[in-house]
Amino acid sequence: MQTWSERDLKYIWHPCSQMKDYETLPPMVIDHGRGIYLFDTDGNKYIDVISSWWCNLLGHCNPVINAAIKKQVDELEHVIFANFSNKRAIELCEELIKVIPKGLCKFNFSDNGSAAVECALKMSFQYHYQTGNPQKKRFVALTDAYHGETIGALSVGGVDLYSEIYKPMLMDILRIKAPDCYRCPYGQCRDNCKCECFEQAEKVFEEYGNEICSIIIEPLLQGSAGMKIYPPLYIKKLRELCDEYNVILIADEIATGYGRTGKMFAFDHAGVSPDIMCLSKGLTGGYMPMSITVTSQKIYDAFYADYNTGKAFMHSHTYSGNPLACSAALAVLEILKDGSVLQRAQENAVYFNNMIKDKFLNMPNVGEVRSIGLINAIELVKDKNTKESFDSKLRVGYQVYKKALKKGVILRPLGDVIYFNPPLIIEREDMNFVTDVAQECISEVLKG
Ligand SMILES: *Cc1c(COP(=O)(O)O)cnc(C)c1O
C-alpha cells in the first residue's frame, strides 16, 4: 500500500519548494495538532516552533477558536460582501478598532496577505489620483523587503530568491537601502543608534518626493530577509518624512502584528500610526485565510462621492468578510482581551532570549543572536570576525532543518538564519527542548 507521502507526491506541487528535494525529504503528512505540537501519520511528534509559517498564534486545535467556528458554521458559512454584510464581520471591526493604532478606522477585507498588500498599493495610488496629485505614481520599498508573491506585492519585495526571475514583469520601484543592524555600515548598534541609516530614505524622498504615492515597510522586523530587526526610531522618522512629502505610509504588519514583537502591533513600539495597515497571518490565529487592509477616514473620504464621479474603490475578493474567518478572528481577540496571554508571552520572551544568548552566542559560527518578542534568530556565518556568510550552495540552514526534524523540532531556517517564531503560548520546558535540539543540530552540521 502507498504511504500518505507517496500519495501526496503523486499530485501535489508544494509551495516555495524544489520538488526534487522531496526525494530525500518526503513531506511530513500531519494527522492532527494540539497546542504547539503536530503529529504526523507515522506517529511522530513535532514542536511547531515556526507557528506553521508564522500564522498559528494560540496553538493548534485551540478549544475557544474551534468552538467559535463550529457555532458559526451552523449559522452562516459565507455571503457576498458587496451590498450585503454579516454580523461577525461587523463585530470584528468593532473589536479591532479598540486595539489597532489610533486613526485607523476603515476596514477592507481580503483573503490572504499578498492580496491585502495589493489592496493597500492600489488604494494609495488612487488616493493621490483623486486628491489632485496624479503625478504621485511611484512606490517605495526597502531592500530585502517581503510583502507577498503576487505581481504587485513581489514588485515591492526585495528578496531576489523570490523575484529575480520575474523582474521583467514587475513594476519599477524606488528602493531604499534597509537598516542592516548586524553589518551596520555606520558602525552603530541597534540598541542605541540614532538611525544614521535613515539618510538613505531622506535621499530618495528629496529626489523623488513629488512622484511618490506610498512607501511600504515591514515595521521593526524584516521577516523573510532573515528576521532582520531594526529600531522603532526608524519608524518615527519615517512617519515625519511621509508627512512632509505627502506620502502614504503602509505598515505591512502581516508578520509583526498580534503580539509577535511583544506589543500588539510593531507600530505600537514607535507610538505613531501608519496611514494603511495590512493584517493577516495571526488575524485568525492561523485558522482561516483572511486579511484586512485598514485605513484612515482621510483616505476613505477621498473615494466617497457620487457614483458617476468614478471615485469608488472597485476592488473585490470573492471571500471578502467571510463569516467563518471572522468568527475565528473574533475568538482570537476574545482570548487576547484581558492581556494575560500577551503578558505571559512577554515574560517568557525575556527568559527565552536569555536562554538563547547563553546557549548560542559562544558557538563558533554564530554571528549574531537577535530577538524581538518571542522571535529569536541565530545568524550562522563562516567567519565571526569578518561576518562573512557561508556559501549559499552549502545549504547549511537546510541541513540543520533536516536534522532538527528527526529530533521533533520544526525550524525551517531562512538561508543560514535559524529562527524561532513559536505560538505565543509556548512554555519554558519546550523552549529548553527546542534550543537544545537546535544547538545539537548546528554543532553536528558544522562539524561536518
Ligand atoms: C506572509 C507575508 C505576506 C504574504 O502573505 P500571504 O498570505 O502569504 O500572501 C506579506 N507580508 C509579510 C510581511 C508576510 O510575512
Side-chain angles (χ1 to χ4, degrees):
M1 217 181 67
Q2 280 187 317
T3 63
W4 279 106
S5 64
E6 283 162 354
R7 287 164 66 185
D8 171 287
L9 288 174
K10 187 162 179 203
Y11 294 112
I12 296 179
W13 191 344
H14 287 275
C16 204
S17 300
Q18 170 48 265
M19 289 308 298
K20 193 163 190 291
D21 280 346
Y22 289 77
E23 288 177 8
T24 50
L25 179 66
M28 289 134 282
V29 181
I30 298 302
D31 180 78
H32 62 284
R34 286 286 180 282
I36 66 165
Y37 310 110
L38 291 168
F39 301 85
D40 73 14
T41 47
D42 297 325
N44 299 306
K45 174 180 169 184
Y46 305 89
I47 298 191
D48 186 6
V49 82
I50 56 159
S51 297
S52 283
W53 254 348
W54 317 351
C55 63
N56 188 288
L57 200 68
L58 301 162
H60 295 278
C61 226
N62 181 293
V64 177
I65 307 174
N66 283 14
I69 297 173
K70 283 178 192 163
K71 182 161 181 282
Q72 183 58 39
V73 78
D74 280 330
E75 225 170 85
L76 176 68
E77 76 302 321
H78 187 62
V79 64
I80 179 174
F81 211 46
N83 294 120
F84 289 79
S85 191
N86 67 78
K87 294 192 282 188
R88 297 298 94 77
I90 297 165
E91 288 169 346
L92 178 58
C93 298
E94 289 170 349
E95 292 306 314
L96 265 174
I97 196 119
K98 297 175 187 166
V99 296
I100 55 177
K102 255 200 312 247
L104 298 171
C105 59
K106 294 290 177 183
F107 300 77
N108 192 294
F109 287 75
S110 311
D111 48 22
N112 66 77
S114 307
V117 167
E118 299 283 342
C119 175
L121 297 175
K122 286 169 68 179
M123 205 181 260
S124 67
F125 181 94
Q126 192 171 341
Y127 167 80
H128 287 298
Y129 185 83
Q130 292 177 179
T131 52
N133 288 301
Q135 81 289 356
K136 282 184 160 291
K137 289 178 185 164
R138 300 195 71 178
F139 300 104
V140 185
L142 301 186
T143 54
D144 283 342
Y146 183 83
H147 298 292
E149 301 293 344
T150 49
I151 301 301
L154 206 55
S155 296
V156 282
V159 181
D160 278 350
L161 178 66
Y162 309 123
S163 57
E164 182 72 32
I165 182 86
Y166 309 110
K167 288 257 159 87
M169 303 162 65
L170 304 182
M171 294 187 288
D172 184 22
I173 295 295
L174 292 166
R175 196 67 72 185
I176 293 170
K177 176 95 184 65
D180 184 355
C181 301
Y182 173 39
R183 297 178 176 86
C184 179
Y186 301 84
Q188 302 293 323
C189 156
R190 76 164 74 72
D191 296 329
N192 55 18
C193 74
K194 302 199 169 58
C195 286
E196 283 77 0
C197 59
F198 192 72
E199 68 175 19
Q200 303 287 337
E202 286 167 340
K203 255 192 261 169
V204 172
F205 275 62
E206 265 162 37
E207 190 167 355
Y208 300 100
N210 196 40
E211 299 167 37
I212 301 173
C213 71
S214 60
I215 176 168
I216 183 165
I217 59 162
E218 294 161 90
L220 301 191
L221 174 78
Q222 290 192 296
S224 300
M227 299 295 174
K228 288 170 67 183
I229 297 165
Y230 62 92
L233 180 61
Y234 194 94
I235 295 176
K236 255 194 194 149
K237 289 187 175 208
L238 189 59
R239 177 68 275 176
E240 286 169 17
L241 193 65
C242 286
D243 288 341
E244 188 183 336
Y245 285 92
N246 185 22
V247 167
I248 289 178
L249 176 51
I250 304 171
D252 179 349
E253 290 251 13
I254 291 167
T256 51
Y258 278 79
R260 293 291 186 191
T261 66
K263 293 193 187 280
M264 189 65 183
F265 298 100
F267 256 70
D268 296 341
H269 291 270
V272 295
S273 296
D275 301 298
I276 301 180
M277 184 168 74
C278 302
L279 297 176
S280 191
K281 295 207 163 103
L283 177 61
T284 64
Y287 266 67
M288 307 281 295
M290 183 164 78
S291 60
I292 309 183
T293 306
V294 197
T295 192
S296 63
Q297 187 72 41
K298 184 176 105 177
I299 292 179
Y300 175 84
D301 284 345
F303 295 73
Y304 197 91
D306 289 330
Y307 183 83
N308 286 334
T309 59
K311 287 190 170 177
F313 191 44
M314 298 306 282
H315 177 99
S316 63
H317 292 286
T318 308
Y319 285 101
S320 292
N322 177 260
L324 291 171
C326 290
S327 70
L330 274 166
V332 168
L333 289 178
E334 184 60 36
I335 294 168
L336 296 180
K337 205 171 187 171
D338 73 357
S340 59
V341 171
L342 287 185
Q343 196 190 330
R344 178 75 187 153
Q346 230 353 57
E347 288 159 12
N348 278 341
V350 175
Y351 177 89
F352 197 27
N353 180 239
N354 285 334
M355 173 194 280
I356 289 174
K357 279 194 200 139
D358 280 351
K359 288 188 185 176
F360 293 89
L361 261 183
N362 291 322
M363 291 179 76
N365 295 96
V366 170
E368 189 184 43
V369 167
R370 45 184 180 259
S371 75
I372 187 164
L374 276 167
I375 299 174
N376 280 268
I378 298 158
E379 179 155 347
L380 300 178
V381 292
K382 187 172 160 191
D383 185 325
K384 270 177 100 134
N385 294 319
T386 63
K387 304 183 180 178
E388 188 194 342
S389 305
F390 284 106
D391 180 354
S392 64
K393 295 212 166 64
L394 293 173
R395 303 184 78 187
V396 172
Y398 183 63
Q399 293 183 60
V400 173
Y401 170 53
K402 290 211 282 193
K403 282 197 190 288
L405 279 175
K406 293 224 168 67
K407 299 177 200 261
V409 177
I410 308 177
L411 288 176
R412 210 166 190 282
L414 294 153
D416 296 338
V417 177
I418 317 291
Y419 70 88
F420 307 92
N421 185 6
L424 301 181
I425 56 162
I426 190 171
E427 277 301 336
R428 298 181 181 193
E429 205 176 310
D430 288 310
M431 292 176 180
N432 204 18
F433 179 75
V434 297
T435 48
D436 278 348
V437 166
Q439 205 183 19
E440 280 165 33
C441 296
I442 292 170
S443 297
E444 284 171 28
V445 166
L446 293 177
K447 236 183 287 158

